[in-house]
């Protein structure tokens, strides 16, 4: 019974994602999609900061060509994975499965930024970036709570991996990570210690 309860949030997420985005499986390529298909088909490459976008899609292109359905199916699947990432991040942040479930279900509706799913070149990249950001923040929480160096270096590595892979999407982490530490470690009556920890994390 306990095992079933654990997977209920994931089943709900899958249902909400399919309900919210199932219609997109009938979409066809639009605007920016034609540019990336043209570049892939002619073995061109985007410059920085989009250099890693085309390598992500090349294996899919080699298998499915310009058949739109697999791309939009991949967009829906990666959005489900990003919803799971949001669940695990909120759960790590609050230690409350109910809050994590409700938060991730709201995210899974896709209401904010839903228009991105009309362009698979945008939606898939955004979904993968959300996963990277959530993993980075989960590792940061682990480091804040345990002070184990392995979590610090894993956070550091994931931060630079995100910046290398999607620099035009992951850059807010530069500001968010130090302030996240400040929020997590803040204690009334210990402002000086909190500021010291904040400065340490910036370095």
């Amino acid at each position: 019974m306990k095992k079933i309860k654990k997977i209920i949030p994931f089943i709900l997420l899958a249902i909400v994602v399919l309900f919210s985005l199932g219609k997109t499986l009938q979409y066809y390529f639009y605007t920016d999609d034609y540019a990336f298909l043209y570049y892939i088909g002619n073995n061109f490459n985007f410059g920085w900061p989009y250099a890693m976008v085309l390598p992500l899609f090349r294996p899919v292109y080699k298998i499915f060509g310009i058949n739109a359905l697999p791309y939009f199916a991949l967009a829906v699947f990666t959005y489900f994975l990003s919803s799971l990432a949001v669940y695990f991040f909120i759960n790590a942040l609050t230690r409350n499965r109910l809050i994590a479930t409700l938060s991730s279900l709201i995210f899974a509706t896709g209401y904010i930024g839903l228009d991105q799913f009309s362009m698979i070149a945008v939606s898939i990249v955004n979904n993968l970036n959300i996963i990277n950001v959530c993993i980075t923040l989960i590792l940061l929480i682990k480091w804040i709570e345990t002070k184990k160096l392995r979590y610090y270096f894993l956070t550091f590595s994931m931060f630079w991996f995100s910046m290398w892979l999607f620099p035009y999407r992951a850059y807010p982490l530069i500001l968010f990570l130090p302030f996240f530490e400040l929020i997590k470690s803040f204690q009334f009556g210990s402002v000086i210690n909190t500021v010291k920890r904040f400065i340490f994390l910036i370095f």
Side-chain angles (χ1 to χ4, degrees), residues 16-35:
V16 171
V17 168
L18 285 174
F19 181 79
S20 301
L21 302 178
K23 186 107 177 144
T24 65
L25 297 175
Q26 301 173 22
Y27 286 3
Y28 198 71
F29 301 116
Y30 181 67
T31 60
D32 291 356
D33 294 341
Y34 291 106

Side-chain angles (χ1 to χ4, degrees), residues 176-196:
F176 191 68
L177 286 174
F179 281 102
F180 191 76
E181 156 70 2
L182 183 65
I183 293 168
K184 282 288 292 181
S185 62
F186 181 79
Q187 295 178 350
F188 289 103
S190 183
V191 177
I192 295 177
N193 185 50
T194 301
V195 171
K196 285 181 180 178

Side-chain angles (χ1 to χ4, degrees), residues 14-60:
I15 293 171
V16 171
V17 168
L18 285 174
F19 181 79
S20 301
L21 302 178
K23 186 107 177 144
T24 65
L25 297 175
Q26 301 173 22
Y27 286 3
Y28 198 71
F29 301 116
Y30 181 67
T31 60
D32 291 356
D33 294 341
Y34 291 106
F36 97 83
L37 287 172
Y38 175 80
Y39 270 65
I40 291 177
N42 290 277
N43 291 317
F44 295 154
N45 287 305
F46 292 141
W48 189 89
Y50 306 102
M52 293 307 299
V53 173
L54 294 183
L56 289 173
F57 287 99
R58 281 203 170 97
V60 183

Side-chain angles (χ1 to χ4, degrees), residues 10-168:
F10 310 143
I11 296 172
L12 290 175
L13 282 176
I15 293 171
V16 171
V17 168
L18 285 174
F19 181 79
S20 301
L21 302 178
K23 186 107 177 144
T24 65
L25 297 175
Q26 301 173 22
Y27 286 3
Y28 198 71
F29 301 116
Y30 181 67
T31 60
D32 291 356
D33 294 341
Y34 291 106
F36 97 83
L37 287 172
Y38 175 80
Y39 270 65
I40 291 177
N42 290 277
N43 291 317
F44 295 154
N45 287 305
F46 292 141
W48 189 89
Y50 306 102
M52 293 307 299
V53 173
L54 294 183
L56 289 173
F57 287 99
R58 281 203 170 97
V60 183
Y61 181 82
K62 288 180 179 179
I63 297 172
F64 299 106
I66 58 171
N67 180 7
L69 177 60
Y71 294 92
F72 284 97
L74 185 60
V76 173
F77 179 68
T78 54
Y79 193 68
F80 169 69
L81 293 181
S82 66
S83 300
L84 286 179
V86 169
Y87 170 86
F88 286 114
F89 163 59
I90 299 297
N91 191 44
L93 181 64
T94 65
R95 300 299 179 191
N96 188 307
R97 293 182 70 242
L98 178 60
I99 294 175
T101 301
L102 294 176
S103 301
S104 57
L105 285 173
I106 292 171
F107 175 83
T109 63
Y111 180 76
I112 299 174
L114 185 60
D115 60 331
Q116 74 173 357
F117 288 94
S118 63
M119 297 174 288
I120 55 99
V122 175
S123 61
I124 293 175
V125 168
N126 283 350
N127 296 339
L128 294 176
N129 179 63
I130 290 168
I131 295 169
N132 278 358
V133 168
C134 286
I135 292 173
T136 305
L137 295 176
I138 290 169
L139 290 170
L140 178 64
I141 291 170
K142 288 286 187 181
W143 179 69
I144 292 171
E145 293 177 346
T146 67
K147 286 298 178 287
K148 292 181 179 179
L149 283 178
R150 67 173 178 268
Y151 291 122
Y152 177 83
F153 289 115
L154 285 171
T155 304
F156 188 79
S157 299
M158 277 302 302
F159 167 76
W160 283 109
F161 176 71
S162 296
M163 292 296 294
W164 169 73
L165 196 59
F166 309 117
Y168 57 99

